[in-house]
Amino acid sequence: MRHWLMKTEPSVFSLDDLRRKGREGWDGVRNYEARNSMRAMRVGDPVLIYHSNAEAIGVAGLAEISREAHPDATAWDPANAHFDPRSTPERPLWDQVEVAFVRAFPQLVSRDDLQRIPAFSASLLWKRSRLSVIPLTDAEFAAVLAVAEGDQRARPERAAAVRIRSSGQGSGRGPSPKRASR
DNA sequence: GCCAACGTTGGC
DNA sequence: GCCAACGTTGGC
């Protein structure tokens, strides 16, 4: 299973918006590398949702792929901001995937937090600052999730309690994600 | 195939 | 709102 990070501007579409809608077609991506990453996505792949260009920058929570790559119809809609005349229904150039909400983190894993995670230091997020769909290694994904769940940053006095609670079987995570069906 | 010009992204 | 970084376009 692969892991991903997808950027979104929360003023345009936030994790809260995704929570409300349940799922969303991730259209408007107009970069070949990002498109190719989306083509490699499989249903169930976990996706970190990253808020960019915002007051609070960082990973807000977790989503998952609920539908694999298929043509992005906004590309052949002249009224759409991401219109690209090179793409047609007969020969689609751009794809989208559908993303389903899983859960919001109790607290944003901020860009600063991310920069302090050793296992995240080589991430493409830093090397390819303009890329909006980024593959993550297992270790990168796990490290971000550990910080999000352990949440030992702002409240170190609570870290021990969190550790004790999560050492049982119940991990304290939220309800299981809405299942992505067909 | 190079690379300057251009437009956009995204942190600050 | 600014502007550096950087991906893309297009002339040669």
Side-chain angles (χ1 to χ4, degrees):
Chain A
M1 178 168 295
R2 296 167 184 251
H3 302 89
W4 310 95
L5 180 150
M6 295 174 101
K7 295 182 187 173
T8 182
E9 300 194 20
S11 62
V12 177
F13 190 81
S14 68
L15 183 69
D16 267 349
D17 293 327
L18 183 62
R19 191 212 307 261
R20 275 189 286 276
K21 300 189 68 173
R23 308 163 176 210
E24 181 76 354
W26 214 263
D27 58 26
V29 174
R30 298 292 181 266
N31 169 284
Y32 287 104
E33 204 172 338
R35 180 201 67 182
N36 293 342
S37 283
M38 291 198 297
R39 287 180 174 175
M41 291 172 170
R42 295 296 170 258
V43 168
D45 281 0
V47 182
L48 296 178
I49 301 297
Y50 178 94
H51 285 171
S52 66
N53 242 318
E55 205 163 319
I57 297 169
V59 177
L62 187 63
E64 68 178 12
I65 299 305
S66 53
R67 186 180 167 191
E68 294 173 8
H70 54 287
D72 177 356
T74 65
W76 57 72
D77 172 10
N80 191 280
H82 302 289
F83 174 61
D84 183 347
R86 297 172 299 173
S87 185
T88 64
E90 296 73 33
R91 302 194 60 196
L93 180 60
W94 302 112
D95 280 358
Q96 63 177 322
V97 291
E98 185 189 72
V99 170
F101 179 81
V102 175
R103 73 191 133 97
F105 293 151
Q107 191 179 335
L108 185 85
V109 180
S110 72
R111 184 178 170 84
D112 277 356
D113 294 332
L114 292 171
Q115 278 169 331
R116 288 194 215 97
I117 301 175
F120 203 77
S121 63
S123 169
L124 282 180
L125 184 65
W126 314 129
K127 290 193 260 200
R128 304 289 310 284
S129 63
R130 306 275 299 270
L131 196 58
S132 63
V133 180
I134 293 172
L136 301 177
T137 65
D138 294 357
E140 286 165 353
F141 178 80
V144 175
L145 214 62
V147 169
E149 291 176 337
D151 202 17
Q152 300 167 7
R153 292 153 300 171
R155 293 167 285 171
E157 75 283 357
R158 295 184 62 193
V162 169
R163 262 197 303 278
I164 289 159
R165 258 191 286 115
S166 52
S167 59
Q169 0 89 310
S171 66
R173 59 180 58 176
S176 59
K178 223 183 236 82
R179 193 49 243 153
S181 63
R182 313 255 51 197

